[in-house]
């Protein structure tokens, strides 16, 4: 995989662009502030009733509403939720923006799975930071930068990757490293990683481990401290030293236990399920289901969120967080 740093990126590639950022949430604010501190002048597009409007005004940005989008803007950065890109594009962008505008995405989902069908004359690029906006902003301020992916999907100008690199530089990412990928790999990799490990897998492992302990008589506080409370420590060791490095830093009892249980927990049946999930994501089945759920007013998703909120672990975790901060229990 190719990696680019500061010396390969030239801000000249985007200096003359008229930049519009759609959304002012986690990434929108970080992109906006970093671009401005780099000397560019983005405008922010927000709904008139947007919750972030006050912050964008306090941050002193020029703000327009979606119905004011027109052909003035030559570089448009999509930092609104991925599942609404299709609707937003149809309603506010199609036929109103320049055919040859550069469209920038921070996740390849909506382009790769065909939610948006922009003009074939547009440049379509990816600049996807490896972390939330708060880190993107903080690392820019600390002069370290947060790494990111870049990719091109359409390159009519012949400058798509140069523009992506310039934008990556403007948000500070070239300081940390910019990795060249494809829309397909980023879209599938991001979604698979979230589902199998980072979000779906990890939370369910924590929840089930906690529940079994409590069911078998271990006090909830004790069960919490042996599960949710310590995952960041182990994840941190894996990130810093690798799995082998982590294994050298835990107790021998923990290591022996790990050797006995790892492939019993994630066994070949689980591996087959991972494969099936991967295939469904790749075939676009997950994206179709997700868009159907969106059209269905997110009814199942709201139920799921409710069930997470009422989970027993949630109550213990809230109590323990405040106990550990030294606050009195209510
Ligand atoms: P976010 O924090 O949820 O912010 C979304 C912004 O879009 C908010 O300003 C929100 O308005 C606005 N918005 C929501 N619904 C809208 C609608 N129907 N019409 C117009 N505007 C609407 O999103 P985000 O996490 O920054 O994600 C933005 C992009 O970055 C996504 O493509 C995501 O995949 C990508 N990304 C995110 C992360 C991350 O860690 N967050 C990391 C890498 C890439 P309000 O101001 O009213 O809330
Ligand atoms: Mg993601």
């Amino acid at each position: 995989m190719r990696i680019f740093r500061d010396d390969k990126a030239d801000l000249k590639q985007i200096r003359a662009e008229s930049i519009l950022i759609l959304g002012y949430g986690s990434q929108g604010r970080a992109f906006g502030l970093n671009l401005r501190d780099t000397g560019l002048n983005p405008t922010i597009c927000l709904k008139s009733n947007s919750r972030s409007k006050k912050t964008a005004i306090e941050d002193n940005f020029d703000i327009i509403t979606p119905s004011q989008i027109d052909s003035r803007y030559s570089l448009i950065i999509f930092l609104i939720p991925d599942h609404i890109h299709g609707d937003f594009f149809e309603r506010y962008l199609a036929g109103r923006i320049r055919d040859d505008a550069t469209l920038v995405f921070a996740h390849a989902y909506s382009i790769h799975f065909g939610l948006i069908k922009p003009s074939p004359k547009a440049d379509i690029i990816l600049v996807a930071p490896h972390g939330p906006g708060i880190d993107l902003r903080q690392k820019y301020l600390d002069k370290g930068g947060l790494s990111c992916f870049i990719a091109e999907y359409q390159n009519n100008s012949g400058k798509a990757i140069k523009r992506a690199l310039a934008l990556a530089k403007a948000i500070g990412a070239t300081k940390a490293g910019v990795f060249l990928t494809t829309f397909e790999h980023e879209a599938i990799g991001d979604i698979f990683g979230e589902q199998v490990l980072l979000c779906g897998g990890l939370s369910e492992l924590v929840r089930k481990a906690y529940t079994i302990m409590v069911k078998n008589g271990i006090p909830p506080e004790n069960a919490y401290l042996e599960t949710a409370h310590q995952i960041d420590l182990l994840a941190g060791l894996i990130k810093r030293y690798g799995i082998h490095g982590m294994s050298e830093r835990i107790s021998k009892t923990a290591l022996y236990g790990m050797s006995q249980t790892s492939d019993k927990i994630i066994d070949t049946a689980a591996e087959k399920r991972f494969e099936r999930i991967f295939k469904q994501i790749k075939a676009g089945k997950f994206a179709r289901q997700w868009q159907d759920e969106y059209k269905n007013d997110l009814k199942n998703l709201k139920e799921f969120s409710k069930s997470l909120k009422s989970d027993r672990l949630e109550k213990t975790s809230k109590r323990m967080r405040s106990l550990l901060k030294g606050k009195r229990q209510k």
Side-chain angles (χ1 to χ4, degrees):
M1 197 169 220
R2 281 184 75 184
I3 178 167
F4 300 95
R5 299 192 193 274
D6 256 348
D7 57 322
K8 292 284 182 288
D10 188 349
L11 289 171
K12 258 194 275 168
Q13 298 293 340
I14 54 168
R15 241 188 234 297
E17 304 289 343
S18 174
I19 301 175
L20 182 65
I21 296 179
L22 308 177
Y24 203 67
S26 170
Q27 296 293 338
R29 181 162 194 251
F31 267 69
L33 294 172
N34 292 4
L35 291 186
R36 188 170 63 194
D37 288 351
T38 302
L40 301 163
N41 183 26
T43 297
I44 310 293
C45 174
L46 284 175
K47 291 178 296 182
S48 42
N49 61 350
S50 164
R51 281 174 304 172
S52 317
K53 199 169 165 187
K54 191 167 167 271
T55 318
I57 292 171
E58 281 165 8
D59 288 343
N60 248 320
F61 279 106
D62 290 335
I63 301 169
I64 63 163
T65 60
S67 47
Q68 291 174 307
I69 297 175
D70 59 26
S71 59
R72 262 174 303 174
Y73 303 101
S74 57
L75 192 146
I76 301 173
I77 311 177
F78 283 69
L79 297 175
I80 51 178
D82 302 288
H83 62 283
I84 72 161
H85 285 187
D87 280 356
F88 192 92
F89 188 87
E90 279 309 310
R91 190 151 176 216
Y92 300 112
L93 300 172
R96 292 167 59 191
I97 57 171
R98 295 161 49 157
D99 274 353
D100 64 351
T102 299
L103 306 183
V104 185
F105 295 84
H107 182 11
Y109 174 84
S110 57
I111 288 290
H112 178 71
F113 292 111
L115 270 59
I116 302 180
K117 300 249 184 290
S119 153
K121 292 186 189 146
D123 272 9
I124 301 180
I125 59 178
L126 178 80
V127 178
H130 295 147
I134 191 158
D135 285 337
L136 182 64
R137 179 61 181 157
Q138 195 54 51
K139 288 190 185 238
Y140 179 96
L141 292 173
D142 297 342
K143 311 221 178 301
L146 181 67
S147 65
C148 77
F149 280 132
I150 57 164
E152 66 175 38
Y153 187 81
Q154 284 181 193
N155 177 18
N156 280 290
S157 66
K159 294 180 179 166
I161 284 297
K162 285 186 178 148
R163 285 191 182 141
L165 268 172
L167 203 52
K169 183 170 188 165
I171 59 169
T174 43
K175 286 220 160 63
V178 171
F179 294 85
L180 181 63
T181 185
T182 64
F183 270 67
E184 182 186 12
H185 290 168
E186 195 275 343
I188 297 172
D190 184 273
I191 294 170
F192 181 78
E194 288 167 355
Q195 290 185 13
V196 166
L197 175 65
L198 304 172
C199 307
L202 185 59
S203 7
E204 203 50 23
L205 272 178
V206 171
R207 233 168 56 83
K208 289 263 157 60
Y210 168 87
T211 307
I212 295 285
M213 279 201 247
V214 173
K215 205 174 95 188
N216 286 284
I218 309 258
E221 293 80 1
N222 192 326
Y224 173 84
L225 290 166
E226 298 293 4
T227 53
H229 183 61
Q230 297 194 41
I231 46 177
D232 58 331
L233 307 179
L234 273 297
L237 286 178
I238 292 176
K239 189 166 173 186
R240 270 181 89 177
Y241 305 110
I243 290 179
H244 177 249
M246 175 276 282
S247 77
E248 287 184 320
R249 286 166 175 82
I250 56 179
S251 73
K252 284 286 174 282
T253 308
L255 179 60
Y256 178 69
M258 178 180 163
S259 76
Q260 295 302 297
T261 53
S262 299
D263 62 357
K264 294 191 184 69
I265 298 166
I266 310 298
D267 57 8
T268 44
E271 241 179 90
K272 282 192 186 132
R273 288 195 294 275
F274 288 10
E275 285 282 356
R276 207 163 52 234
I277 291 170
F278 188 91
K279 284 195 182 110
Q280 288 178 352
I281 293 169
K282 187 170 178 189
K285 191 171 172 195
F286 166 73
R288 284 193 294 279
Q289 284 172 341
W290 177 206
Q291 291 312 123
D292 286 348
E293 173 65 12
Y294 165 53
K295 282 186 203 120
N296 193 28
D297 287 331
L298 309 180
K299 284 202 175 94
N300 296 314
L301 195 61
K302 284 175 194 158
E303 278 304 309
F304 178 71
S305 294
K306 221 156 89 189
S307 75
L308 292 181
K309 200 170 179 184
S310 59
D311 195 79
R312 286 176 69 179
L313 168 60
E314 200 52 29
K315 293 192 180 94
T316 311
S317 136
K318 224 175 174 171
R319 194 169 67 245
M320 289 304 287
R321 283 195 306 264
S322 79
L323 258 183
L324 289 160
K325 274 189 203 150
K327 289 189 189 154
R328 269 168 186 259
Q329 266 182 270
K330 278 187 193 155

